């Protein structure tokens, strides 16, 4: 992996440290757009029908984009960079519980599982939301129930994702939220 010559200044005048590019602008734009749109959809579910539906279409477009970008995007955006075997994920989670997990520049094995789980759940939410707007599925209880259940499961996954980011940030002494804004992390 190539270390960029770009440096950032540290607080208190400390020597600037080199960083590496990890999250490309498309990944970051996707991430924060999805955060904002999901929050809007969640908050507008009962209040603003057409705004909620239009935001749902935007979420679906984001998911479609992320799947494509997961196939052709930059190194750490690609699924091939962060989809691991169940055994690797289990070992990583066990090591994490013992505070001795390996640090990854891109998504770690648990983070990779979370990316896939969130993409699948948000796709289910978008699909069932769309179905509820059609004549064929409007008023069909199982579609509405699956939509609501998927939202609840996704909220749980989001909370687990945030907890994982906080835990990994503490374990590896780095600010992972900042890296999702800047796109940069310290090298291994």
């Amino acid at each position: 992996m190539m270390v960029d010559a770009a440096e950032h200044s540290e607080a208190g005048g400390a020597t600037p440290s080199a960083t590496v590019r990890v999250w490309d602008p498309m990944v970051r734009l996707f991430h924060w757009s999805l955060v904002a749109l999901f929050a809007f959809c969640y908050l507008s579910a009962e209040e603003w029908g057409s705004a909620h539906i239009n935001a749902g279409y935007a979420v679906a477009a984001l998911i479609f984009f992320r799947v494509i970008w997961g196939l052709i995007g930059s190194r750490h955006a690609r699924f091939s960079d962060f989809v691991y075997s169940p055994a690797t994920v289990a070992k990583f989670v066990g090591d994490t519980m013992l505070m001795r997990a390996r640090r990854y520049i891109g998504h770690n094995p648990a983070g990779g599982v979370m990316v896939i789980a969130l993409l699948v759940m948000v796709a289910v939410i978008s699909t069932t939301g769309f179905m509820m707007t059609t004549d064929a599925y409007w008023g069909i209880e199982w579609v509405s129930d699956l939509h609501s259940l998927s939202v609840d499961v996704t909220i749980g996954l989001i909370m687990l994702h945030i907890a994982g980011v906080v835990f990994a940030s503490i374990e590896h002494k780095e600010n992972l939220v900042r890296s999702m804004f800047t796109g940069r992390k310290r090298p291994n």
Side-chain angles (χ1 to χ4, degrees):
M1 182 172 307
M2 178 182 251
V3 176
D4 252 17
E7 298 178 342
H8 59 86
S9 61
E10 300 289 330
T15 306
S17 61
T19 59
V20 293
R21 289 182 187 174
V22 179
W23 310 122
D24 67 61
M26 300 309 286
V27 167
R28 292 179 286 146
L29 182 62
F30 162 80
H31 181 273
W32 295 115
S33 296
L34 185 59
V35 167
L37 284 167
F38 185 88
F40 178 81
C41 285
Y42 184 78
L43 296 172
S44 68
E46 303 297 325
E47 304 299 321
W48 305 320
S50 63
H52 177 84
I53 291 168
N54 290 332
Y57 287 134
V59 167
L62 282 174
I63 297 302
F64 178 77
F65 162 77
R66 185 60 181 94
V67 169
I68 299 301
W69 202 244
L71 299 172
I72 66 169
S74 63
R75 175 183 174 193
H76 297 296
R78 283 186 244 132
F79 299 127
S80 62
D81 189 63
F82 61 82
V83 174
Y84 296 91
S85 70
T88 301
V89 174
K91 182 179 180 341
F92 177 83
V93 171
D95 287 346
T96 297
M97 294 299 120
L98 299 171
M99 293 293 286
R100 64 174 193 212
R102 176 182 152 211
R103 180 178 173 268
Y104 288 76
I105 293 294
H107 287 101
N108 63 47
V113 169
M114 185 57 70
V115 169
I116 300 303
L118 286 168
L119 287 173
V120 167
M121 292 310 302
V122 174
V124 170
I125 294 167
S126 296
T127 301
T128 55
F130 171 74
M131 290 169 69
M132 290 172 15
T133 68
T134 67
D135 290 340
Y137 293 98
W138 187 83
I140 303 295
E141 191 172 340
W142 73 264
V143 176
S144 178
D145 291 347
L146 181 56
H147 188 74
S148 295
L149 175 64
S150 299
V151 170
D152 293 341
V153 169
T154 302
I155 294 293
L157 289 173
I158 290 167
M159 291 188 298
L160 189 59
H161 172 57
I162 292 168
V165 167
V166 169
F167 193 84
S169 292
I170 292 167
E171 181 180 18
H172 299 295
K173 297 174 180 58
E174 67 183 327
N175 187 333
L176 293 177
V177 174
R178 180 177 59 209
S179 73
M180 191 50 77
F181 280 105
T182 66
R184 307 184 73 81
K185 293 174 79 175
R186 65 178 163 80
N188 263 339

